[in-house]
Amino acid sequence: MEFQYHDIAGMIDHSLLKPTLTTEELEAGCQLALTYEVASVCIMPFYLKRCAELLKGSTVKASTTIGFPHGGHTTYVKQIEAELAIADGCEELDMVVNISRVLSGEWKYVADEIAAVTKIAHQAGPKIKVIFENCYLDQVQKIELCRICGELGVDWVKTSTGYGTGGATIEDLKLMRAESPPEVQVKAAGGVRTFDKLLEVRALGVSRVGASATREILDHCRERLELPAITCE
């Protein structure tokens, strides 16, 4: 095989963003992430502090969303969200761009907002992923966002929230990888539900995927590698 188990597990941001998520499901989701040793848990902001407590001392990072899911928060609110998230133990921020401003071609506004939140994240230590929500954008807009994010030194560009009209596509992932500097990583979100699909996007240069089907993906990975099955309640 061209990969080890931890290469694959380390690509997964375990998504716990359903609005119907209960406290019990939060606890179980974090335990699953710890057991399978994924990259991070991406949780709604109000659960973040508890999530960070549960993951403390492990290699699994606590992450949360900024301006989720439509990106329509004011820049000031996104900045406050970032500051509060970092205070609650967040290690990675997933920020949605202002989609309306992108569609309006107001690139200075878009760039200033990404810069403001990126500055807060990087000054405190956490990394930042910028979500484009590609299903609403044309190719020119996606390329311009890649250019802006590259110039601002964000850590990842990300395809989607999972709550738009479409998720990650192979075409978009190829474009984002090609149009972003090598140091900017690419995250696929929405639609990566199987191990084989994860391998497909990995081959394109994707380094992270947002997934709720984490158990299924990694059980299949371990089966393919002939590793013992993991037991997790």
Side-chain angles (χ1 to χ4, degrees):
M1 292 289 181
E2 298 177 351
F3 53 82
Q4 302 295 316
Y5 171 78
H6 287 98
D7 299 331
I8 303 302
M11 290 180 63
I12 295 181
D13 291 342
H14 185 48
S15 177
L16 296 176
L17 295 172
K18 289 192 305 182
T20 55
L21 186 83
T22 65
T23 303
E24 183 178 355
E25 289 170 331
L26 158 71
E27 307 260 346
C30 288
Q31 185 55 55
L32 184 146
L34 288 167
T35 302
Y36 281 83
E37 300 181 272
V38 301
S40 82
V41 171
C42 192
I43 191 78
M44 290 179 283
F46 72 96
Y47 272 141
L48 176 61
K49 193 168 188 178
R50 178 59 180 151
C51 174
E53 290 172 353
L54 292 168
L55 301 178
K56 187 175 181 180
S58 77
T59 59
V60 183
K61 295 179 171 57
S63 63
T64 196
T65 55
I66 305 296
F68 207 76
H70 303 306
H73 301 48
T74 64
T75 299
Y76 178 70
V77 169
K78 288 179 177 176
Q79 290 175 287
I80 297 298
E81 280 189 295
E83 290 172 353
L84 292 174
I86 292 165
D88 282 346
C90 186
E91 296 175 89
E92 294 181 355
L93 303 170
D94 289 42
M95 184 195 85
V96 190
V97 299
N98 187 309
I99 299 163
S100 176
R101 298 281 191 170
V102 172
L103 293 171
S104 301
E106 297 178 27
W107 295 111
K108 183 177 186 311
Y109 181 99
V110 173
D112 287 349
E113 182 171 273
I114 295 171
V117 180
T118 299
K119 181 178 179 181
I120 289 169
H122 285 174
Q123 284 185 339
K127 295 184 176 180
I128 183 163
K129 306 169 190 132
V130 176
I131 305 171
F132 292 4
E133 202 67 299
N134 283 334
C135 60
Y136 300 122
L137 310 181
D138 63 27
Q139 301 298 87
V140 172
Q141 291 158 344
K142 296 168 195 172
I143 291 170
E144 182 63 6
L145 280 173
C146 288
R147 185 192 66 77
I148 290 170
C149 288
E151 288 185 357
L152 295 175
V154 310
D155 299 287
W156 278 270
V157 290
K158 176 177 170 181
T159 57
S160 32
T161 63
Y163 291 86
T165 56
T169 68
I170 295 301
E171 292 72 22
D172 280 344
L173 293 170
K174 287 180 178 177
L175 179 145
M176 293 169 76
R177 184 60 280 162
E179 298 295 335
S180 300
E183 64 272 18
V184 176
Q185 301 178 66
V186 177
K187 175 177 174 179
V192 180
R193 301 185 181 90
T194 67
F195 178 52
D196 286 325
K197 188 69 176 181
L198 184 147
L199 291 180
E200 184 180 6
V201 301
R202 174 184 164 87
L204 300 176
V206 169
S207 64
R208 286 283 183 91
V209 300
S212 54
T214 301
R215 185 198 300 265
E216 293 78 6
I217 291 170
L218 292 179
D219 281 349
H220 192 182
C221 173
R222 294 184 71 84
E223 181 181 335
R224 191 81 63 87
L225 291 168
E226 299 182 350
L227 295 172
I230 286 177
T231 301
C232 180
E233 296 299 327

